[in-house]
Amino acid sequence: MLKALALAGTVAAVWAPLGRACDVQASATAGAAPLSVTYTALCDSSVYRWSFGDETTAEGRTVTHAFAAGRFAPTLQTDAGTDALPQTTAVSLTLAAPRGGDFGKGVAFAGRLVPGPARVRLYRGNAFVASAKTGPDGSFRIVARLSAPGPYTARAAGVESAPVTVTVRPVLEARLVGSTTVGGRASVVARLRPAKAGAVRVEAGAKTTQGRAVRLRLDTATPGRLRVRVRAVPAPGWAAPRRTLAVDVVYPDLGPGAKGASVRALEQRLAQLHYALAGVGASFGADTTDALYAFQKVQGLPRTGRADAAVWEALAKPKVPQPRGGGDRIEVDKAHQVLYVVRGGKLSLIVPVSTAGLPGRFTPVGSFSVQRKVSGWDPSPLGVLYDPLYFTGGYAIHGAPFVPPYPASHGCVRVPMWIAARIYDTNPYGEPVDVY
């Protein structure tokens, strides 16, 4: 139902323009539709015939008529003639909105004003939100950023629409802080944005906490996977988003031959950081050792090939290397003894290498390209090379059975055998190779 914000005229006004045959008293002739208007003729006549401008008529000295939305020009016919009565304006204003939306995102409010056109203003309570002008048919659309459920109303031409509410989905923030190694101090921190949207409830096993902003300490006594459930306890008008976090509690020291969830978590994290692996699984193999060598080199850690407490800490907040060039290329970082495969200017793969380390030997530095490729084993002055990619003279990137975590080659760039074929297959002739 429309609410009238202001009335045009008075409750009872006398319509008596100069030269008219019959004076008329009328109630308010502007307001929300349906608008009921009472007319009384103030002259004596044998007939009083009212025409309301909407194809309806009535007779009698006093009549009451309900006008639908629109503008109308009623008349009165008496013995003395036909008089035009004041224009009557009955206003209809509707407002509709989606049932729900995300906090801080735009939502379209739409409706129609009859008669139009006019400017329509959108309010949340008594707070102005936005406005728009209607089209020729009176329709309007206002996109507003959601900050609260409402109620929202539209106002125009002295009337207010029926209120609408929008269920708002708040932002549920939940993150893991601390170390998830066995015995480590790990917690889940959660909150709702905005805070007025309600409280947050966090559950992890038998532990539960609830509040505006919460921090729940996790049980890291034994290795395994914890499922942490985070959900909103919403205030009225707000939705209740929820999330589930999978937290792996892992052993602080893993090495070759280890198996289980801790190894899987280690390899998943290394793969996320683009360190090369033959595959992600639950077994600590030679590829895991090589990936750890590459990670420890980049992070400046001792090159042990094992996942100890320092490695797990660095995995939580790692140094992320950046390529020096754009496009597709290979970069060899001699200082860190790693190779970067770059795709579209972004780091795609990090591989451990071993460059020149024998007395009197060196690995050339500069900008080169893949000039020749040989599939399989290829005898060369620098030794027998597997799947070599020659980038200058007899120097190549190639697979080797022995790739220690330090410089040890005759001058080539050695990579582990299990990754050599992949590098060979994915880097064509002409691929840029930067060595620095």
Side-chain angles (χ1 to χ4, degrees):
M1 180 179 293
L2 285 180
K3 176 182 178 183
L5 298 178
L7 294 177
T10 61
V11 174
V14 175
W15 179 250
L18 295 176
R20 295 300 179 183
C22 186
D23 295 343
V24 173
Q25 179 178 287
S27 59
T29 56
L35 177 65
S36 181
V37 182
T38 298
Y39 298 96
T40 300
L42 302 180
C43 64
D44 293 325
S45 176
S46 63
V47 62
Y48 302 94
R49 183 170 292 110
W50 308 84
S51 178
F52 300 110
D54 57 1
E55 300 184 354
T56 62
T57 62
E59 294 190 6
R61 188 164 191 159
T62 297
V63 296
T64 299
H65 182 67
F67 290 89
R71 292 188 180 94
F72 306 95
T75 61
L76 170 62
Q77 181 182 351
T78 62
D79 293 341
T82 300
D83 290 329
L85 302 180
Q87 178 178 272
T88 299
T89 303
V91 182
S92 171
L93 179 58
T94 61
L95 179 67
R99 295 179 62 183
D102 294 327
F103 172 74
K105 299 295 181 64
V107 165
F109 293 82
R112 190 179 182 194
L113 173 69
V114 178
R119 179 161 291 277
V120 177
R121 290 172 170 79
L122 179 69
Y123 288 82
R124 185 181 67 253
N126 288 321
F128 173 76
V129 176
S131 68
K133 190 172 182 179
T134 67
D137 63 349
S139 62
F140 65 90
R141 184 175 184 271
I142 299 174
V143 177
R145 195 178 299 274
L146 276 184
S147 61
Y152 292 88
T153 57
R155 300 178 188 178
V159 300
E160 183 179 71
S161 71
V164 298
T165 58
V166 181
T167 300
V168 183
R169 178 183 293 274
V171 178
L172 177 59
E173 297 178 346
R175 59 189 176 92
L176 180 68
V177 296
S179 171
T180 57
T181 58
V182 173
R185 295 178 63 87
S187 301
V188 170
V189 177
R191 66 168 184 162
L192 279 182
R193 185 163 53 85
K196 64 183 178 183
V200 177
R201 184 177 179 86
V202 181
E203 302 172 358
K207 291 186 173 184
T208 301
T209 187
Q210 181 174 316
R212 293 289 182 180
V214 300
R215 184 185 187 103
L216 180 66
R217 176 81 178 271
L218 301 180
D219 182 0
T220 59
T222 57
R225 171 160 287 190
L226 297 176
R227 293 201 175 275
V228 183
R229 294 175 175 81
V230 185
R231 64 182 178 88
V233 182
W238 295 84
R242 58 184 62 209
R243 292 178 58 186
T244 299
L245 305 180
V247 180
D248 291 303
V249 180
V250 295
Y251 286 111
D253 193 0
L254 298 173
K259 297 181 182 295
S262 297
V263 176
R264 184 181 299 277
L266 170 66
E267 293 195 346
Q268 286 176 336
R269 182 57 176 153
L270 287 169
Q272 288 174 352
L273 297 173
H274 305 294
Y275 288 89
L277 288 161
V280 174
S283 298
F284 196 120
D287 62 323
T288 316
T289 300
D290 287 332
L292 278 172
Y293 277 149
F295 180 76
Q296 289 168 331
K297 290 173 179 180
V298 172
Q299 306 304 312
L301 297 173
R303 301 173 185 183
T304 64
R306 298 183 64 89
D308 55 15
V311 166
W312 288 108
E313 184 177 350
L315 284 168
K317 294 183 179 180
K319 299 175 184 176
V320 180
Q322 298 298 321
R324 293 193 178 185
D328 295 349
R329 62 181 54 249
I330 293 175
E331 296 184 6
V332 178
D333 182 347
K334 291 174 61 176
H336 290 100
Q337 289 290 284
V338 289
L339 177 150
Y340 303 132
V341 177
V342 181
R343 293 292 178 261
K346 297 182 178 180
L347 193 61
S348 174
L349 202 64
I350 306 175
V351 181
V353 301
S354 179
T355 59
L358 298 178
R361 301 288 187 172
F362 70 96
T363 299
V365 172
S367 295
F368 312 102
S369 63
V370 176
Q371 299 174 351
R372 186 164 64 94
K373 299 171 62 173
V374 179
S375 179
W377 293 101
D378 183 42
S380 80
L382 297 178
V384 180
L385 317 180
Y386 181 72
D387 277 354
L389 281 71
Y390 291 95
F391 57 88
T392 181
Y395 295 94
I397 300 167
H398 67 88
F402 179 58
V403 184
Y406 52 83
S409 79
H410 292 82
C412 286
V413 179
R414 297 183 189 177
V415 299
M417 292 290 288
W418 57 268
I419 195 67
R422 180 175 173 184
I423 294 175
Y424 181 93
D425 291 338
T426 57
N427 292 277
Y429 281 89
E431 185 87 333
V433 178
D434 291 339
V435 185
Y436 49 82

